[in-house]
Amino acid sequence: MKRKVVTICGSVRFWNKIQEMSERLELENEYVVIGIIPHILDRDLTECEKDLLGELHRIKIDLSDAIFVVNVDGYIGDSVKNEIEYAKENGKEIIYLENN
């Protein structure tokens, strides 16, 4: 059986839920999950770093069959909205934690 590859998308304010869903998707639903890198440095990211991380996340989406949106309480921030739009434009399936 070929496993579907999904990229996790969501606000890092929901980091614990993102980690939980990554584990569940791989163990229970047999997906291969491409995760996100949490911002753990004790400083603000530069605009160049933000741009780089955005570019890298789009590459992750390109490698995926789908994205999995961790939208706790329906929250979808601007960055994730952009990622959803990018995924749609590139024919990727969009899977939501919570129905919109």
Side-chain angles (χ1 to χ4, degrees):
M1 170 182 109
K2 184 177 185 297
R3 295 174 183 260
K4 185 179 286 188
V5 178
V6 297
T7 293
I8 292 283
C9 297
S11 171
V12 292
R13 74 174 68 175
F14 304 122
W15 182 246
N16 290 338
K17 181 57 89 173
I18 288 170
Q19 292 297 96
E20 174 190 338
M21 293 313 303
S22 294
E23 181 177 310
R24 281 187 175 182
L25 287 168
E26 287 199 335
L27 294 178
E28 297 173 13
N29 295 325
E30 299 181 351
Y31 289 100
V32 174
V33 176
I34 299 176
I36 59 174
I37 304 298
H39 174 52
I40 59 172
L41 300 174
D42 189 21
R43 65 173 175 78
D44 290 333
L45 292 171
T46 66
E47 287 305 312
C48 184
E49 290 170 328
K50 289 177 187 178
D51 290 345
L52 174 60
L53 291 176
E55 177 187 347
L56 294 173
H57 205 71
R58 287 186 295 278
I59 292 169
K60 292 175 184 181
I61 293 170
D62 290 339
L63 295 170
S64 300
D65 300 304
I67 64 169
F68 187 93
V69 180
V70 180
N71 57 328
V72 176
D73 296 327
Y75 177 81
I76 298 175
D78 290 338
S79 293
V80 176
K81 286 177 186 174
N82 291 335
E83 292 163 358
I84 292 168
E85 197 57 40
Y86 182 82
K88 285 179 182 177
E89 290 170 0
N90 288 280
K92 305 299 178 172
E93 179 183 359
I94 315 295
I95 306 165
Y96 293 91
L97 173 64
E98 298 179 5
N99 292 332
N100 292 347

